[in-house]
Amino acid sequence: MTAQLIDGNALSKQLRTEVATRAQALKAKGVTPGLAVVLVGDNPASQVYVRNKVKACEDSGLHSVLEKYEATMTEADLLARVEALNNDPSIHGILVQLPLPAHIDAQKVIEAISPAKDVDGFHIASAGALMTGMPGFWPCTPYGCMKMLESIGYDLRGKHAVVIGRSNIVGKPMALMLLQKDATVTVAHSRTQNLKALTLQADVIVAAVGKRNVLTADMVKPGAVVLDVGMNRNDEGKLCGDVDFEGVKEVASHITPVPGGVGPMTITMLLVNTLEAAERASN
Ligand code: GUN
């Protein structure tokens, strides 16, 4: 069997068109959705990420501001900037790009963001809302994965989902989202014994470890759906995921490629969350 691709670029395009339409409707009511992206220091990967986020906003008709600060910025100054953005009515979403320089307590900065503007979904109030099924912002990457499953009409009820990875940004919220859709969820991680025995039982596998070839064809049940959150480089320096794509695509029913899979969906869901924040603020 050769798996069907779940195309993150195509789905993003469709969802971003919807965002642009809803943004136009809000603008007609006098509200332009606004995102503030804060970057501290000169991490090269972060610079690329924030540029892409700001560009995506512009392309969808959202207002965005990029605030760049020296790596020597103090924690107190950053907290003061966050507070100013919390009180800025033209800003509906605030994103502080991670990682932050070591002298700044990232968790403290995240908790300083107003939960109403926490479009990354990293605040403990957002995590608590997800856990209890209350309204709040969902972290963009696992939210994008849920949209990808929705796009193929996948019914998660009673299905076994195995999430590989337990980060606060992907693995844990991913597990909660799948649980909310009535999947039976297993979270595997670096200390898990016999990962293959678990993945072979899975109807859905989400690989979110950050290591190449964590999932190979012999670990996948025929017909399973495989979502690859990984962003790694292979020996030739080419972008690749956590999944051995060439092998697994012969076993799975659906699979996300890297690049062009989950990656573009993360930024798309940031736009969706920012729009949602602006809609909530205007109601
Ligand atoms: N660094 C890497 N990914 C992300 C993300 O999704 N949000 C933020 N704020 N920082 C990141």
Side-chain angles (χ1 to χ4, degrees):
M1 189 199 309
T2 299
Q4 250 176 278
L5 278 192
I6 311 179
D7 182 341
N9 285 323
L11 181 57
S12 282
K13 200 169 164 194
Q14 183 192 326
L15 291 171
R16 289 183 197 195
T17 304
E18 286 170 31
V19 165
T21 307
R22 279 164 65 188
Q24 275 312 117
L26 261 190
K27 277 189 200 169
K29 291 202 289 177
V31 180
T32 300
L35 174 70
V37 178
V38 180
L39 175 64
V40 183
D42 46 19
N43 180 309
S46 291
Q47 290 187 0
V48 175
Y49 291 145
V50 299
R51 253 204 320 271
N52 290 343
K53 288 168 184 176
V54 168
K55 169 144 194 326
C57 281
E58 283 167 7
D59 292 347
S60 293
L62 273 58
H63 164 66
S64 67
V65 288
L66 174 56
E67 298 194 2
K68 282 183 169 181
Y69 298 104
E70 299 288 327
T72 51
M73 183 186 211
T74 66
E75 183 182 279
D77 284 347
L78 180 55
L79 290 170
R81 275 315 303 153
V82 168
E83 187 54 24
L85 292 167
N86 282 340
N87 295 320
D88 182 341
S90 74
I91 294 300
H92 305 96
I94 303 169
L95 182 151
V96 178
Q97 187 67 24
L98 303 177
L100 286 168
H103 66 278
I104 297 178
D105 180 345
Q107 199 55 41
K108 196 167 165 184
V109 174
I110 290 167
E111 301 316 333
I113 297 170
S114 162
K117 298 189 178 187
D118 176 37
V119 289
D120 252 336
F122 294 169
H123 196 288
I124 48 169
S126 303
L130 170 59
M131 184 166 170
T132 52
M134 301 294 284
F137 292 109
W138 285 6
C140 301
T141 299
Y143 191 9
C145 289
M146 293 305 284
K147 284 283 172 194
M148 294 180 109
L149 290 173
E150 199 182 301
S151 77
I152 59 165
Y154 195 82
D155 184 359
L156 281 160
R157 276 179 300 179
K159 296 288 183 4
H160 187 191
V162 172
V163 179
I164 315 173
R166 57 174 159 181
S167 69
N168 289 337
I169 294 178
V170 184
K172 285 187 213 167
M174 185 80 253
L176 290 168
M177 289 174 202
L178 292 162
L179 189 59
Q180 200 177 94
K181 292 289 180 191
D182 297 331
T184 300
V185 182
T186 300
V187 182
H189 48 80
S190 53
R191 305 272 184 215
T192 294
Q193 293 179 11
N194 203 352
L195 176 63
K196 181 176 170 179
L198 296 171
T199 56
L200 274 174
Q201 294 176 22
D203 302 300
V204 176
I205 304 171
V206 182
V209 175
K211 219 170 96 185
R212 279 166 61 193
N213 297 332
V214 156
L215 191 75
T216 47
D218 59 308
M219 300 168 74
V220 178
K221 180 170 81 173
V225 175
V226 175
L227 306 182
D228 190 350
V229 179
M231 278 275 219
N232 313 299
R233 299 265 169 198
N234 67 14
D235 293 335
E236 292 95 56
K238 254 180 66 184
L239 207 59
C240 67
D242 289 354
V243 174
D244 171 26
F245 182 83
E246 287 308 317
V248 172
K249 79 173 180 3
E250 299 303 327
V251 185
S253 69
H254 295 79
I255 188 167
T256 64
V258 177
V262 175
M265 291 299 292
T266 296
I267 294 189
T268 299
M269 300 325 291
L270 175 67
L271 302 178
V272 169
N273 279 348
T274 302
L275 180 76
E276 183 75 33
E279 286 177 347
R280 286 180 201 172
S282 75
N283 283 333

